[in-house]
Amino acid sequence: MSDTGNDTDKPLPPDELGPRLMEVFDLVGPLYRRVQRKVEQGEAVEGLSVGVRAVLDLLHKHGPMTVPQMGRAQAISRQFVQRMVNDAAARGLVESTPNPAHQRSSLIRLTDRGRAAITAAVAREHAVLREVGGDLTDADLRSCVRVLAQMLTLFDTVDVN
């Protein structure tokens, strides 16, 4: 093995890639569950369940969307998204508006109250994430996002409904 580090920059052969990606899966599952519990603990602060928070976050980042669009974006069932939208609407966090592109599928958008709720939740979460440490670089994070995006692409065809 060379000391230049060039060997680590070469794509891994499939027989090596599979086991290394399993290391990622082994971390992603527990991380996701712990983050979910942390968000649920914050529910007392913002009053947002994990599902409602996900809906608000999507709308905050992407603007008005339909329920099916949100389901596809989050790889969760349309029915679950609809329940979360109904919960958020009952609390005045989102509202339905006509969709010029599709009469039967309304656009869901944030209300001022919903925007304030997701802004507060994200600010609280950013404060927690600032404590990660580990001398992570922008390159580290770009690589992490690239790996996770490639893994997600592999499972694009999985039916979530």
Side-chain angles (χ1 to χ4, degrees):
M1 185 106 105
S2 157
D3 289 335
T4 64
N6 290 339
D7 289 345
T8 61
D9 293 338
K10 294 180 184 174
L12 290 173
D15 287 343
E16 291 179 41
L17 181 62
R20 294 302 311 271
L21 288 175
M22 282 309 299
E23 293 177 42
V24 175
F25 274 118
D26 290 345
L27 294 171
V28 168
L31 173 62
Y32 174 78
R33 288 184 289 279
R34 288 178 187 177
V35 168
Q36 189 172 12
R37 283 194 288 277
K38 186 71 174 171
V39 170
E40 288 167 349
Q41 291 169 358
E43 183 179 357
V45 177
E46 287 94 20
L48 303 178
S49 68
V50 172
V52 168
R53 189 233 174 270
V55 164
L56 298 184
D57 192 52
L58 272 175
L59 297 175
H60 185 68
K61 288 178 179 172
H62 303 288
M65 299 175 77
T66 65
V67 168
Q69 287 171 334
M70 286 186 265
R72 284 190 299 275
Q74 289 293 309
I76 52 180
S77 77
R78 185 176 28 83
Q79 294 83 359
F80 179 77
V81 173
Q82 186 64 62
R83 286 194 307 271
M84 296 304 102
V85 165
N86 292 347
D87 183 19
R91 298 174 50 216
L93 302 172
V94 300
E95 60 188 4
S96 296
T97 62
N99 181 355
H102 196 287
Q103 289 181 343
R104 294 182 62 209
S105 188
S106 298
L107 287 171
I108 309 301
R109 70 177 179 196
L110 289 173
T111 62
D112 289 342
R113 185 174 177 182
R115 191 169 293 100
I118 192 60
T119 299
V122 168
R124 185 179 53 76
E125 293 161 7
H126 284 181
V128 170
L129 292 174
R130 289 174 52 137
E131 304 302 317
V132 167
D135 297 327
L136 297 175
T137 67
D138 187 58
D140 292 335
L141 296 176
R142 280 196 316 271
S143 293
C144 178
V145 169
R146 181 173 169 265
V147 168
L148 293 173
Q150 286 292 117
M151 293 172 74
L152 186 60
T153 299
L154 176 65
F155 298 101
D156 270 351
T157 59
V158 174
D159 184 13
V160 297
N161 287 311

